Amino acid sequence: MSEPRFVVLRLGSLGDIVHTFPGVAALRQTFPAAEIVWLTHPRWKLLVESSGLASDIWPIETRAFASLRGAIRGLRAAKWDAAIDYQGLWKSAALPLFGGVGRRIGFSSHTIREFGVPILYTERVQAATTHIADQNGELSRRAGARMLAARFTLRVSPEDQESVRLQIRREAIERYIVLSPGGGWRSKCWPAERFGALCQRVRATLGWRCVVNFGPGEEDLAAAVRTASGSAEPQLYDGELGPLMALLRDATCIVGGDTGPLHLAIALGTPAVALFGPTDPVRNGPYRVAGSAAIEANRKSAAMEQDDIVLRVANTKTTHTRNDQTDPSMLAIDVESVFDAVCRRVGARP
């Protein structure tokens, strides 16, 4: 009997793809010789490649007709056992439909947020788990995987690793904490002034430097953190994905909200302190597959806490409304609590 052929769809974004890896890894572990073709946005091709889970990766730009047509032709030219849509949007669900894939697996209307999408699937999974990574695993299990999640390792190229290490050494930095102040929308971001105060506390008490990672459109946020940091002199970093992975993997810890770099750092084995407000950490929080080799490789102290630390005030209302003003729940997280969490997470003594 020939090995199955799957097409999986997770077009973006960074954190969402990271939370799809455990489920696809479960599929790969169950069917080691299966052909798994992953459709994703060109921006995330390197990320998917780094996981080693896909047999082939088809970059697709959904706003470009030629790209869509090419993907549909490619799907129609092959025979598939199933298409698994981890994205759950019209644009992702329509591709295997128009591509002639007979078996199309996706979430039911109880899980999907975009109205009407499940009508395009032949099999609809009503998720029984809470975390999005486990929910993705439920789709994999419907396709035949024996488990919800499996271990995976993200590879960082030696060139990116060496380049980042040289850059860090040039700044006379030995141990560093990555601060990730950005997010999909500002209401779930901890204030820049508090990141700056945390940077000062880390430098004055632990003697470590901070590296502030930021993405497109977050230049003002990063500048505000640096200004608030004063003499702590954090380094600002806005590198490409490959070097960012190297930077995160070598970090002593990462501090950030519900944002892609936080989830990527966790997947690379880096200890994390996660600051949550409007979004629910039970669904979107730090996620590690038990027994991950990356975690063991990055454990720097026997005294460090075994689990990532999530800070969220009690009775916070979960909402995905995108506001420009900082949510009160984020303002309720004080600098001293975050600094204490960092020390506990990495086993440092103030």
Side-chain angles (χ1 to χ4, degrees):
M1 183 176 178
S2 61
E3 289 290 336
R5 303 181 77 244
F6 300 106
V7 56
V8 303
L9 299 102
R10 183 76 238 192
L11 307 176
S13 55
L14 176 55
D16 293 325
I17 291 175
V18 169
H19 283 155
T20 305
F21 285 148
V24 178
L27 201 65
R28 172 58 73 199
Q29 183 168 310
T30 303
F31 305 104
E35 182 171 0
I36 299 177
V37 174
W38 191 314
L39 273 62
T40 193
H41 189 278
R43 182 180 181 185
W44 307 119
K45 183 174 185 289
L46 175 64
L47 177 61
V48 176
E49 284 178 342
S50 75
S51 72
L53 296 173
S55 311
D56 196 9
I57 302 164
W58 294 0
I60 179 169
E61 174 52 78
T62 56
R63 297 182 180 180
F65 178 73
S67 181
L68 288 170
R69 182 178 59 187
I72 291 170
R73 283 179 175 175
L75 290 172
R76 285 190 171 275
K79 183 178 180 180
W80 308 95
D81 288 87
I84 311 170
D85 180 19
Y86 299 98
Q87 187 89 33
L89 300 177
W90 280 105
K91 61 184 179 181
S92 57
L95 283 166
L97 173 67
F98 291 127
V101 182
R103 186 186 183 197
R104 302 181 301 276
I105 301 171
F107 290 114
S108 72
S109 58
H110 293 84
T111 305
I112 263 176
R113 292 177 182 166
E114 200 163 286
F115 178 77
V117 173
I119 198 173
L120 302 184
Y121 306 134
T122 59
E123 298 179 38
R124 302 166 189 89
V125 176
Q126 181 174 340
T129 54
T130 303
H131 198 284
I132 186 61
D134 289 329
Q135 292 179 4
N136 288 331
E138 291 189 63
L139 297 185
S140 297
R141 194 159 62 182
R142 174 63 67 89
R146 291 191 299 265
M147 68 289 292
L148 289 178
R151 291 169 50 176
F152 64 94
T153 300
L154 300 184
R155 297 188 298 271
V156 177
S157 77
E159 294 79 14
D160 287 333
Q161 194 73 72
E162 183 60 23
S163 171
V164 169
R165 286 177 177 173
L166 284 174
Q167 183 178 347
I168 291 297
R169 284 198 293 267
R170 279 197 299 268
E171 300 297 334
I173 298 175
E174 293 184 8
R175 297 187 70 176
Y176 61 91
I177 291 177
V178 171
L179 307 181
S180 187
W185 56 93
R186 293 295 171 93
S187 59
K188 65 175 183 175
C189 296
W190 203 44
E193 295 74 18
R194 298 193 187 182
F195 271 109
L198 175 65
C199 188
Q200 291 185 29
R201 191 84 162 83
V202 168
R203 184 73 185 274
T205 307
L206 302 177
W208 303 343
R209 299 281 294 279
C210 290
V211 177
V212 180
N213 173 69
F214 65 100
E218 297 176 345
E219 293 81 3
D220 60 329
L221 190 60
V225 174
R226 181 160 62 182
T227 298
S229 299
S231 60
E233 301 178 318
Q235 294 298 308
L236 303 190
Y237 187 84
D238 63 343
E240 297 295 325
L241 179 60
L244 173 62
M245 292 173 67
L247 178 81
L248 294 174
R249 192 174 70 173
D250 279 357
T252 300
C253 182
I254 183 170
V255 179
D258 180 12
T259 184
L262 176 88
H263 300 303
L264 178 59
I266 291 168
L268 289 161
T270 302
V273 173
L275 313 179
F276 272 71
T279 55
D280 187 356
V282 176
R283 182 185 186 275
N284 301 324
Y287 185 94
R288 297 186 188 268
V289 180
S292 171
I295 301 171
E296 297 300 327
N298 228 26
R299 185 165 290 153
K300 297 178 173 64
S301 169
M304 68 187 293
E305 289 207 359
Q306 299 296 306
D307 298 318
D308 296 312
I309 297 174
V310 177
L311 299 180
R312 191 193 198 210
V313 297
N315 301 317
T316 295
K317 181 181 178 181
T318 297
T319 175
H320 292 273
T321 302
R322 301 194 173 205
N323 294 321
D324 293 330
Q325 300 298 318
T326 303
D327 192 87
S329 61
M330 298 303 293
L331 296 175
I333 303 174
D334 62 83
V335 174
E336 195 60 30
S337 296
V338 178
F339 177 72
D340 176 69
V342 169
C343 292
R344 288 188 288 116
R345 182 65 183 93
V346 301
R349 293 184 178 180

